[in-house]
Amino acid sequence: MAQQQTSDSGTRDQYGGVFSVSGDDVAREQSVSISQPAPAVVTTMGSVDTVTIGEALEATALSLGDKPVDRKDAAAIQAAETRATGEFTTRPGGLAAAAQEAAATNERTVLEEGKVTIADILTDAAEKLPGDKMVTREDAEAVVGAEIRNSPEMKTTPGGVADSMSAGARLNQQL
């Protein structure tokens, strides 16, 4: 596949599609302006051959675990769970359901100490998912889109679910 370097530091294939995937790349494609540091979670994903969606979610728990879950996190987790399982409904007792409940609870909770965190939801995510698969560029794009659509600022969280999924997709593309 022919590739060319673009002026925005992304790589495009011969058809003009984004080859490398990150929250910034997807936002540029959607004409949304965001500026974020590169995610620091790349080194935390441990699969020898490929990175799975569950592992990308676990990386988020490691990189951003103390952050209280909000609605954009819940939307990104739901999109990731949907991509991992292929089920288009929220599974009762699943990661997405837990994240949605946590976001709603956190909105009503005043004290930061009482809020449900990313680590509370995503620790051991790969084991909690009823199915899992390798992260693809399309998976990352779906999660980035869900997070951006549910963000009042129209941007992803640095080190969050979308960034972890994007990092996993980039690593898998290199294989």
Side-chain angles (χ1 to χ4, degrees), residues 19-86:
F19 181 74
S20 63
V21 178
S22 74
D24 289 340
D25 293 334
V26 173
R28 266 192 231 75
E29 290 295 312
Q30 297 177 357
S31 300
V32 176
S33 176
I34 60 175
S35 176
Q36 302 173 355
V41 297
V42 174
T43 59
T44 63
M45 294 184 238
S47 177
V48 174
D49 297 328
T50 60
V51 178
T52 67
I53 291 173
E55 290 170 331
L57 292 173
E58 288 176 358
T60 306
L62 293 173
S63 68
L64 206 59
D66 292 338
K67 179 189 177 292
V69 178
D70 60 24
R71 294 219 177 256
K72 73 179 177 180
D73 299 323
I77 292 166
Q78 180 176 19
E81 183 177 62
T82 296
R83 300 297 296 204
T85 63

Side-chain angles (χ1 to χ4, degrees), residues 100-116:
Q100 290 168 355
E101 183 178 329
T105 299
N106 288 348
E107 287 177 357
R108 295 186 307 268
T109 304
V110 177
L111 297 176
E112 289 296 311
E113 300 82 33
K115 293 187 176 187
V116 181

